[in-house]
C-alpha cells in the first residue's frame, strides 16, 4: 500500500508513539527498505548511531530516527524514541506479514490419534502426525511434515513450521514459534561405560518451552535424563543451536546461530550467547551476562559479565591478550636485545674485575 | 510403580549386580531423580565423586553410590560398583522407557516400492517413503516422514525417528538408532575447479553405519566419493554433527554435539570428540584418544593422547599455554623493567669508562 | 561396465581431453576407486602431488595423473592435464550416477495449490506441499517431504532432496541442488529490545539462490529483514551451514561444513570459507579471499587475502603467533635468567660504587 509521511505518523500514533515529522508531510511512501537499498519512495530507519554516516548517502525518501541524531537538512524524517519499534509497525502496515492460510483438515493425509485434543480454530496441515493424548491449543498452526509425540502439550497460538519434530511428553507454552526442521526432545547423549561399550541411560525427562519463545531452523533441544530441559519465557534462538539434556535457559535470552550448550547448565535471564559460542556442562551463567562469538565457557560467568575467548575470560582481558599476543614478535626481539646487552655488560664486568 | 529399597536391590541382583543396602530397607521409592531435584520418595545417584558434596544437601529418599564414598549417616544408600549401570536398570523398572506403538501399515499414505522387502514385525508409519530394492530388517521402526533411498539395507531392530533421510545404497546394521531430521549419505563437498567454476565430482560411494550405533538429531553424514564412509560399531553421536566423505570412525567412539570431521579422516576405536571440536581432512586419530571441546585437530593424534586448542596440541601443553598467555601483562612489565635496569647499568658503565 | 585402458582414453577424448596412455592398453578396468582402496581391476587417480608416495603402494590396475608426475614403471597410467575432471568423466561412464526415477503425480498424497504452475516433465513426489502461486520449472525433481511456500519461484532442473523447506517468496535459479533437510528463507534473528523483552521485527525479505548453486544437508539460510539474502551463482555449500539475514554471498564460492555467516555480510566471488569458520555481521570479504578452518572473521578481509585465527588475521601472522606462543615457556625462562643476571650486575655495580 502507499501512504504519506503524515499517514505514517498517524500509524505510529495509533500504537501510542509520539512521532515528530520533519519535511514534506505529503511525501508518498510505498515500502520500507534498508538505508543501503532504499529509493525515493521508501522509508528507512537508523537505530544504531554507529551507522549515522549512511544518512549522508542514502537515497531513501524518508528516515525514521531518534531525536537529536544529525540528519541532512533535505532528508524528511520521523523522529521517535524507538526507531526499531516504529519501523516494525510500518513494515506490518505497508507490507503486511506472513499470513497463515487456514487449511481444511484432511483426515486422509493427516494422522491424528483419536485421543488427541485439537483446540478451536487450529490449523493442522496435511502430512502432520499427532500422537496419542496430545493437546493442541487454540489458533495453533502446524505446518506439513510435523510430528508431535505422545502426551505433548502445545499451547495456544503456537506456530510450528514444516517438519518440526517434538518427542513425547514435551510442553510448549502459548505463542511459541518453532522454525522448520527443528527437533525438540530427542534423547541426550546419556551413556554409561560398561565393559568398554556405551550402555544407554534411558532419557525419561522432557522439554519445557515457555511462552513466547521463538526457536530457529534446524535446532536440537535434548530432553532431560530425568526432570526437564527448560527454555525460558520470551527467549529467542537462531538456527542450528544445540541444547544439552537438563539445561535450563532463563527468560528473554538471545542465542545466536550455531551456539552449543552442553547438559546440566543453568543460564539466567536476559543472557546473550553470540554465534558459535559453546558452554561446557554443569556451569552457571548469571543474569544479563554476554558470551562473545566463538567463546568457550568452561566456568561460571557472573551476572552482567561479558566474556570472550577460549577458555572464555572477561572481555577486557581477552582483548588485551589479543593485543599482547600480536606484539610477541617485538617482545622476542626486546628479550634478544637485552640478552646481548647483558652479555656485553657481563663481559665488561669480568674484564674490569680482571683488570 | 512403587518399590521398597529392598525391592530395588532385588532388581539389581536380577541383573547380576551385588548391591549393598544401608538404612531402612522398607523405605518406599516411586521415582528416579537427580540429586538436585529428588524428594523423599525418590532414589537418586552419585557417579562422579566431584559432586560428592551434593549428598549433604539432597532431599532424596535414597542414593545409589559406590562403596567407600562418604554419605551422611541418615541417608539410605544402595552401594554398587557401577552406579550409572544400576540407575539405568532402576529407571527402566520404575518408569519404563519409550514404547514404540505399532502402527498398521497404511498403503494410502505410505510409499513403498513393490521391490522393497520389509522384515517381519517392522512398523512403517504413515508418510514414509521406501524406494526400490530396499531391505528393512525385523522389528525395525520407521517414524513418519522418513525417506529411504534405493538399495539401502536397514538391519533388524533399527529405529529411525521422524524425518530421517537415508540416501541410496547406504547400509545400517542391527539395532542402529537415528534421531529426527538426521541425513545419512548426502553428497560430500566434491568439486573440481575447472575454468574458475566448480564442477561436481559424482559421489558414488555409500555410508556404512555398523551395529548398535546411535546418531543424534540434525546430523549429516556424507557418502564417500568412492567406497564408503564408516561409523563403527557401538559409536554414539550427539546432535548437529557433520561427518565428511570417506571418513572412517572406529568402534565405541563418542562424538559430542556440533563436532565436525572433514573427509578422508581415520579415527580409531574408543575415541572421544568433545563439543564443537573439528578435524581437518586426511588425518588420523589413534585408539582411545580424546579431543577436547572446540579443539581444531590439524595433525595426527596418537593413541591415548588427549589434545586441546586450535591447533590442537597435547592437553598439558595447551593448558600451560593458557597460563603463560594470561601472565603476558606481567611479562611485558618485567621486560620493560629489565630494559630500564640495563639502560641504567650501561649508562653507569659508560660513565665509569669515561672516568 | 567394463572397459580397456584404450576405451577409457577414448571416453576422455570424447570430452575434449588429450589423454596419453602408458602401459598395456588392453588392460581391463571395471571400477573407479581411491588409491588406498583400488584393486587390479580399478582405475584410480592422483591429483594432489602431496600424496605422490601413495603411487608406490597402491594396488590399482591403472592411475590417472598429470604429465611429469613420477609413477612406478610397472603402473599403467593415463596422463591428463586435469586428473579430477578426467576421473569425473570415468566415474559417470563406468558407474553411472544417481538416477531420479520419475514418479507419477499422486494427488491423493501431494498438496499442490491450484494456483501453482508446475513445469513440463517435473517430478513431484508424494508428501510434497506446494503452496499458492508457486512456479516450478521444467525437469525439476522435488523429493518427498519438501514444502514450498507461497509465491516461490523454482527454476528449471532444480533438485530438492527430501524434507527441504523453502519459505514464501524465495527464488531458486536453474539447476540449483539442495540436499535433504535444509531450510531456505526462515526468519532471521530480528528483534528489538522493548521494555526488557524481545519484540519481533517482521522479516519480509526473501532469499535468492542463483543458478547452479548446490547446498548441503541441514543448512539454514535466513530470509532478509527487507530486500534479499543472496547465494551467488555457482556457489557450493556443505552441510549444517548457517547464513544470516541480508547477507550476500558472491559467485563460485565454497563454504565448508558448519560455517556460520552472520547477517548483512557481503562476500565476494571465488571466496573459500573452511570448516566451522564464522563471520560477524556487517563485514566484507573480498574476491578470492580464503578464511581458514575455525577462523573468526571480525573485520573486512581484502581481496585475495587468506586469514586464520580468532580473531582472524593474515595467515602468515596467525601461524607465526602459534609458533611464538609455543615458545613462551622458553621466553619466560630467558626473562627469569635475565633478571638474575641483571640483579647480579646491579649488586656488583653497587659494590664497586661502594668500593
Amino acid at each position: 500500500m502507499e501512504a504519506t509521511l503524515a499517514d505514517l505518523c498517524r500509524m505510529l500514533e495509533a500504537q501510542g508513539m509520539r512521532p515528530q515529522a520533519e519535511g514534506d508531510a505529503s511525501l508518498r511512501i510505498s515500502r520500507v527498505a534498508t538505508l543501503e537499498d532504499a529509493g525515493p519512495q521508501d522509508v528507512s530507519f537508523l537505530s544504531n548511531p554507529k551507522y549515522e554516516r549512511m544518512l549522508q548517502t542514502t537515497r531513501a525518501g524518508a528516515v525514521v530516527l531518534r531525536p537529536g541524531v544529525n540528519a541532512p537538512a533535505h532528508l524528511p524524517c520521523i523522529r521517535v524514541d524507538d526507531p526499531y519499534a516504529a519501523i516494525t509497525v510500518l513494515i506490518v502496515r505497508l507490507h503486511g506479514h506472513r499470513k497463515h492460510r487456514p487449511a481444511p483438515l484432511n483426515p486422509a493425509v493427516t494422522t491424528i490419534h483419536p485421543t488427541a485434543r485439537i483446540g478451536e480454530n487450529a490449523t493442522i496441515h496435511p502430512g502432520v502426525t499427532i500422537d496419542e493424548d496430545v493437546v493442541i491449543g487454540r489458533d495453533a498452526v502446524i505446518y506439513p511434515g510435523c510430528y508431535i509425540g505422545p502426551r505433548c502439550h502445545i499451547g495456544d497460538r503456537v506456530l510450528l513450521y514444516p517438519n518440526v519434530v517434538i518427542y513425547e511428553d514435551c510442553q510448549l507454552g502459548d505463542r511459541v514459534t518453532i522454525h522448520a526442521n527443528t527437533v525438540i526432545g530427542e534423547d541426550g547423549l546419556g551413556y554409561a561405560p560398561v565393559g568398554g561399550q556405551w550402555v544407554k541411560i534411558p532419557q525419561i525427562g522432557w522439554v519445557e518451552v515457555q511462552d513466547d519463545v521463538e526457536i530457529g531452523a534446524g535446532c536440537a533441544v535434548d530432553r532431560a535424563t530425568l526432570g526437564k530441559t527448560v527454555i525460558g519465557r520470551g527467549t529467542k534462538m537462531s538456527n542450528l543451536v544445540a541444547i544439552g539434556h537438563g539445561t535450563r535457559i532463563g527468560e528473554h535470552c538471545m542465542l545466536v546461530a550455531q551456539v552449543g550448550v552442553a547438559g546440566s547448565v543453568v543460564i539466567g535471564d536476559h543472557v546473550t550467547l553470540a554465534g558459535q559460542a559453546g558452554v561446557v556442562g554443569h556451569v552457571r551463567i548469571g543474569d544479563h551476562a554476554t558470551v562473545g562469538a566463538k567463546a568457550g565457557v568452561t566456568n561460571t560467568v557472573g551476572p552482567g559479565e561479558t566474556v570472550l575467548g577460549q577458555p572464555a575470560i572477561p572481555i577486557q582481558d581477552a582483548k588485551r591478550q589479543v593485543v599482547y599476543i600480536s606484539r610477541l614478535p617485538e617482545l622476542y626481539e626486546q628479550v634478544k636485545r637485552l640478552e646481548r646487552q647483558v652479555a656485553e655488560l657481563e663481559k665488561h664486568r669480568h674484564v674490569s674485575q680482571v683488570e
Side-chain angles (χ1 to χ4, degrees), chain A:
Chain A
M1 81 176 258
E2 219 186 51
T4 64
L5 205 60
D7 293 334
L8 300 187
C9 286
R10 276 189 289 272
M11 292 171 191
L12 299 178
E13 283 162 357
Q15 300 298 316
M17 302 181 190
R18 282 181 295 191
Q20 300 291 331
E22 294 173 9
D24 177 8
S26 70
L27 177 78
R28 302 194 74 77
I29 292 295
S30 58
R31 292 197 321 163
V32 179
T34 61
L35 284 172
E36 227 168 349
D37 292 339
Q41 290 217 308
D42 299 338
V43 61
S44 189
F45 69 107
L46 176 76
S47 185
N48 187 339
K50 193 172 150 189
Y51 302 108
E52 195 177 312
R53 55 178 170 69
M54 293 179 70
L55 292 176
Q56 305 303 323
T57 53
T58 185
R59 296 174 54 247
V63 172
V64 177
L65 73 186
R66 288 209 175 74
V69 174
N70 286 321
H74 66 271
L75 185 62
C77 297
I78 296 175
R79 306 242 178 214
V80 290
D81 290 336
D82 189 337
Y84 249 137
I87 210 75
T88 299
V89 170
L90 299 183
I91 286 171
V92 172
R93 292 302 305 273
L94 290 175
H95 297 269
H97 188 214
R98 192 172 293 145
K99 303 287 187 299
H100 301 287
R101 200 163 43 76
L105 191 65
N106 181 347
V109 289
T110 313
T111 307
I112 301 183
H113 196 275
T115 59
R117 280 178 293 151
I118 310 296
E120 206 180 325
N121 203 29
T123 300
I124 313 292
H125 281 268
V128 166
T129 301
I130 296 179
D131 219 318
E132 54 187 337
D133 295 321
V134 166
V135 176
I136 308 271
R138 299 169 61 130
D139 300 307
V141 179
I142 319 281
Y143 271 90
C146 288
Y147 169 86
I148 302 177
R151 298 173 301 283
C152 284
H153 192 290
I154 308 295
D156 295 345
R157 297 177 61 192
V158 163
L159 181 47
L160 303 184
Y161 285 101
N163 299 340
V164 166
V165 175
I166 320 267
Y167 281 57
E168 75 275 14
D169 296 312
C170 292
Q171 312 230 343
L172 274 60
D174 296 337
R175 296 171 304 281
V176 166
T177 296
I178 303 185
H179 284 276
N181 289 11
T182 276
V183 182
I184 305 290
E186 75 282 351
D187 291 348
L189 200 67
Y191 302 92
V194 176
Q197 306 199 8
W198 296 110
V199 174
K200 187 174 178 75
I201 299 175
Q203 305 287 302
I204 62 166
W206 69 97
V207 178
E208 176 183 301
V209 180
Q210 300 179 350
D211 295 348
D212 299 301
V213 165
E214 182 162 355
I215 297 180
C219 297
V221 180
D222 285 349
R223 67 198 307 100
T225 308
L226 301 165
K228 61 187 174 182
T229 302
V230 179
I231 311 294
R233 193 163 55 94
T235 283
K236 312 296 181 187
M237 291 165 48
S238 185
N239 311 311
L240 302 178
V241 171
I243 306 294
H245 47 180
T247 283
R248 286 159 189 244
I249 296 178
E251 303 187 355
H252 309 298
C253 295
M254 177 72 76
L255 278 67
V256 182
Q258 296 176 323
V259 159
V261 181
S264 303
V265 170
V266 179
I267 295 181
D269 300 335
H270 302 284
V271 170
T272 298
L273 302 180
Q276 298 184 334
V279 181
V280 302
H282 298 274
V283 303
R284 281 169 179 269
I285 298 182
D287 294 346
H288 294 279
T290 300
V291 176
K294 277 189 177 287
V297 175
T298 56
N299 273 303
T300 290
V301 176
E305 271 196 81
T306 298
V307 297
L308 189 64
Q310 296 171 27
I313 54 175
I315 190 170
Q316 57 278 31
D317 297 345
K319 290 194 159 172
R320 219 185 314 157
Q321 281 188 1
V322 167
V323 173
Y324 281 126
I325 288 171
S326 72
R327 289 191 197 148
L328 280 178
E330 294 168 49
L331 186 66
Y332 276 87
E333 273 313 309
Q334 280 173 287
V335 169
K336 213 183 276 175
R337 200 162 50 232
L338 277 169
E339 285 183 323
R340 279 195 304 267
Q341 291 170 293
V342 167
E344 190 64 30
L345 284 166
E346 288 184 328
K347 202 172 70 184
H348 175 74
R349 189 187 76 163
H350 293 138
V351 170
S352 64
Q353 283 179 325
V354 168
E355 285 170 354

